[in-house]
Coordinates of all heavy atoms in Angstrom, one line a residue:
H324 N 158.9 111.6 109.6 CA 158.5 111.7 108.2 C 158.3 110.3 107.7 O 159.3 109.5 107.6 CB 159.6 112.4 107.5 CG 159.3 112.7 106.0 ND1 160.2 113.4 105.2 CD2 158.2 112.3 105.2 CE1 159.6 113.4 104.0 NE2 158.4 112.8 104.0
L325 N 157.1 110.0 107.4 CA 156.7 108.6 106.9 C 156.6 108.6 105.4 O 155.9 109.5 104.8 CB 155.4 108.2 107.6 CG 154.7 106.9 107.1 CD1 155.6 105.7 107.4 CD2 153.4 106.8 107.7
G326 N 157.2 107.7 104.7 CA 157.0 107.5 103.3 C 156.2 106.3 103.0 O 156.4 105.2 103.6
A368 N 154.9 114.5 109.2 CA 155.1 114.6 107.8 C 154.9 113.3 107.1 O 155.4 112.3 107.6 CB 156.5 115.2 107.4
V369 N 154.2 113.3 106.0 CA 153.9 112.0 105.3 C 154.1 112.3 103.8 O 153.6 113.3 103.3 CB 152.5 111.5 105.5 CG1 152.2 110.3 104.7 CG2 152.2 111.3 107.0
T370 N 154.8 111.4 103.1 CA 154.9 111.5 101.6 C 154.3 110.2 101.1 O 154.8 109.1 101.4 CB 156.3 111.7 101.2 OG1 156.9 112.9 101.7 CG2 156.5 111.7 99.7
I371 N 153.3 110.4 100.2 CA 152.7 109.2 99.6 C 153.1 109.2 98.1 O 153.0 110.3 97.4 CB 151.2 109.1 99.8 CG1 150.5 110.4 99.2 CG2 150.9 109.0 101.2 CD1 149.0 110.3 99.2
R412 N 149.1 120.9 105.5 CA 149.6 121.5 104.3 C 149.9 120.5 103.3 O 150.6 119.5 103.6 CB 150.9 122.3 104.7 CG 151.5 123.0 103.5 CD 152.8 123.6 103.8 NE 153.5 124.2 102.6 CZ 154.7 124.6 102.6 NH1 155.5 124.4 103.6 NH2 155.2 125.1 101.4
R414 N 151.3 119.4 99.5 CA 152.2 119.8 98.3 C 152.2 118.6 97.3 O 152.2 117.4 97.7 CB 153.6 120.1 98.8 CG 153.8 121.2 99.7 CD 155.2 121.6 99.9 NE 156.0 120.5 100.4 CZ 157.3 120.5 100.7 NH1 157.9 121.7 100.7 NH2 157.9 119.5 101.1
A415 N 152.2 118.9 96.1 CA 152.3 117.9 95.0 C 153.8 118.0 94.5 O 154.2 119.1 94.1 CB 151.4 118.2 93.9
I416 N 154.5 116.9 94.6 CA 155.9 117.0 94.2 C 156.2 116.0 93.1 O 155.5 115.0 92.9 CB 156.8 116.6 95.4 CG1 156.6 115.2 95.9 CG2 156.7 117.6 96.6 CD1 157.6 114.7 96.9
G417 N 157.1 116.4 92.2 CA 157.3 115.6 91.0 C 157.5 116.5 89.8 O 157.6 117.7 89.9
L444 N 152.4 117.9 107.3 CA 152.8 118.2 105.9 C 152.5 116.9 105.1 O 153.1 115.9 105.5 CB 154.3 118.6 105.8 CG 154.8 118.7 104.4 CD1 154.1 119.8 103.6 CD2 156.3 119.0 104.4
L445 N 151.7 117.0 104.1 CA 151.4 115.9 103.3 C 151.9 116.1 101.9 O 151.5 117.0 101.2 CB 149.9 115.7 103.2 CG 149.4 114.6 102.2 CD1 149.9 113.2 102.6 CD2 147.8 114.6 102.2
N446 N 153.0 115.4 101.5 CA 153.5 115.5 100.1 C 152.9 114.4 99.3 O 152.9 113.2 99.7 CB 155.0 115.2 100.2 CG 155.8 116.3 100.9 OD1 155.5 117.5 100.7 ND2 156.7 115.9 101.7
I447 N 152.3 114.8 98.2 CA 151.8 113.8 97.2 C 152.7 113.7 96.1 O 152.9 114.6 95.3 CB 150.4 114.2 96.7 CG1 149.4 114.4 97.9 CG2 149.8 113.2 95.7 CD1 148.0 114.9 97.5
A448 N 153.5 112.6 96.0 CA 154.5 112.4 94.9 C 153.8 111.8 93.7 O 153.4 110.7 93.7 CB 155.5 111.4 95.4
Y451 N 156.5 111.4 89.9 CA 157.7 111.5 90.7 C 158.7 110.4 90.4 O 158.3 109.2 90.2 CB 157.4 111.4 92.2 CG 158.6 111.4 93.1 CD1 159.3 112.5 93.5 CD2 159.2 110.1 93.4 CE1 160.4 112.4 94.3 CE2 160.3 110.0 94.2 CZ 160.9 111.2 94.6 OH 162.1 111.1 95.4
E456 N 164.5 113.7 90.5 CA 164.5 114.7 91.6 C 166.0 115.2 91.8 O 166.2 116.4 91.9 CB 164.0 114.2 92.9 CG 164.0 115.1 94.0 CD 163.4 114.6 95.3 OE1 163.4 113.3 95.5 OE2 163.0 115.4 96.1
I457 N 166.9 114.3 91.8 CA 168.3 114.6 92.0 C 168.8 115.5 90.9 O 169.5 116.5 91.1 CB 169.2 113.4 92.2 CG1 168.7 112.7 93.5 CG2 170.6 113.7 92.3 CD1 169.4 111.3 93.7
A460 N 167.5 118.9 91.2 CA 168.2 119.7 92.3 C 169.6 120.2 91.8 O 169.9 121.3 92.1 CB 168.4 118.8 93.5
I487 N 172.5 119.9 97.6 CA 171.5 119.1 96.9 C 170.2 119.0 97.8 O 169.1 119.2 97.3 CB 172.0 117.7 96.6 CG1 173.3 117.8 95.8 CG2 170.9 116.9 95.9 CD1 173.1 118.4 94.4
S488 N 170.4 118.7 99.1 CA 169.3 118.6 100.0 C 168.4 119.8 100.0 O 167.2 119.7 100.1 CB 169.8 118.3 101.5 OG 170.5 117.1 101.5
A489 N 169.0 121.0 99.9 CA 168.3 122.2 100.0 C 167.5 122.5 98.7 O 166.7 123.4 98.7 CB 169.2 123.4 100.2
R490 N 167.7 121.7 97.7 CA 167.0 121.9 96.4 C 166.2 120.7 95.9 O 165.7 120.7 94.8 CB 168.1 122.3 95.3 CG 168.7 123.7 95.6 CD 170.0 123.9 94.9 NE 170.5 125.2 95.1 CZ 171.2 125.5 96.1 NH1 171.6 124.6 97.0 NH2 171.7 126.8 96.3
T491 N 166.0 119.7 96.8 CA 165.1 118.6 96.5 C 163.6 119.1 96.6 O 163.4 120.2 97.1 CB 165.3 117.4 97.4 OG1 165.0 117.9 98.8 CG2 166.7 116.9 97.3
Y492 N 162.7 118.3 96.1 CA 161.3 118.6 96.2 C 160.8 118.8 97.6 O 159.9 119.5 97.9 CB 160.5 117.5 95.5 CG 160.8 117.2 94.0 CD1 160.6 116.0 93.5 CD2 161.3 118.2 93.2 CE1 160.9 115.7 92.2 CE2 161.6 118.0 91.8 CZ 161.4 116.7 91.4 OH 161.7 116.4 90.0
T493 N 161.5 118.0 98.5 CA 161.0 118.0 99.9 C 161.9 118.9 100.8 O 161.9 118.7 102.0 CB 161.0 116.6 100.5 OG1 162.3 116.1 100.4 CG2 160.1 115.7 99.7
A494 N 162.6 119.9 100.2 CA 163.5 120.7 101.0 C 162.8 121.4 102.1 O 161.6 121.8 102.0 CB 164.1 121.8 100.1
G495 N 163.4 121.4 103.3 CA 162.8 121.9 104.5 C 162.0 120.9 105.3 O 161.6 121.2 106.4
T496 N 161.9 119.7 104.8 CA 161.2 118.6 105.5 C 162.2 117.7 106.1 O 163.2 117.4 105.4 CB 160.3 117.9 104.6 OG1 159.4 118.8 103.9 CG2 159.4 116.9 105.3
P497 N 162.0 117.2 107.3 CA 163.0 116.2 107.8 C 163.1 115.0 106.9 O 162.2 114.6 106.2 CB 162.3 115.7 109.1 CG 161.4 116.8 109.5 CD 160.9 117.4 108.3
E498 N 164.4 114.5 106.8 CA 164.6 113.3 105.9 C 163.7 112.2 106.3 O 163.4 112.0 107.5 CB 166.0 112.9 105.9 CG 166.9 113.9 105.2 CD 168.3 113.3 104.9 OE1 168.7 112.3 105.5 OE2 169.1 113.9 104.1
V499 N 163.2 111.5 105.3 CA 162.2 110.4 105.6 C 162.9 109.3 106.5 O 164.0 108.8 106.1 CB 161.7 109.8 104.3 CG1 162.7 109.2 103.4 CG2 160.6 108.8 104.6
F514 N 162.2 105.6 95.0 CA 161.5 106.5 95.9 C 162.4 107.2 96.8 O 163.1 106.6 97.6 CB 160.4 105.7 96.7 CG 159.6 106.5 97.6 CD1 158.8 107.5 97.1 CD2 159.6 106.2 99.0 CE1 158.0 108.3 98.0 CE2 158.9 107.0 99.8 CZ 158.1 108.0 99.4
M515 N 162.5 108.5 96.7 CA 163.2 109.3 97.6 C 164.6 108.9 97.8 O 165.1 108.7 98.9 CB 162.5 109.4 99.0 CG 161.0 109.9 98.9 SD 160.3 110.4 100.4 CE 160.8 112.1 100.5
L516 N 165.3 108.7 96.7 CA 166.7 108.2 96.7 C 167.6 109.0 97.6 O 168.5 108.5 98.3 CB 167.2 108.1 95.3 CG 166.6 107.1 94.4 CD1 167.2 107.2 93.0 CD2 166.8 105.6 94.9
W517 N 167.5 110.3 97.5 CA 168.4 111.2 98.2 C 168.0 111.2 99.7 O 168.9 111.2 100.6 CB 168.3 112.6 97.6 CG 169.3 113.6 98.2 CD1 169.1 114.4 99.3 CD2 170.7 113.7 97.9 NE1 170.3 115.1 99.6 CE2 171.3 114.7 98.7 CE3 171.5 113.1 96.9 CZ2 172.6 115.1 98.6 CZ3 172.8 113.5 96.8 CH2 173.4 114.5 97.7
Q518 N 166.8 111.3 100.0 CA 166.3 111.5 101.4 C 166.3 110.2 102.2 O 166.1 110.3 103.4 CB 164.9 112.1 101.4 CG 164.8 113.4 100.7 CD 164.4 113.2 99.2 OE1 164.7 112.3 98.6 NE2 163.6 114.2 98.7
S519 N 166.5 109.1 101.6 CA 166.3 107.8 102.3 C 167.6 107.1 102.7 O 167.7 105.9 103.1 CB 165.5 106.8 101.5 OG 166.2 106.5 100.3

Side-chain angles (χ1 to χ4, degrees):
H324 185 178
L325 172 67
V369 178
T370 298
I371 61 173
R412 182 185 174 194
R414 297 189 305 186
I416 62 173
L444 173 61
L445 174 63
N446 294 315
I447 302 175
Y451 172 88
E456 179 179 26
I457 294 171
I487 304 298
S488 298
R490 293 164 176 84
T491 60
Y492 302 150
T493 60
T496 309
E498 289 193 345
V499 60
F514 181 61
M515 305 193 84
L516 291 175
W517 185 266
Q518 301 92 329
S519 63

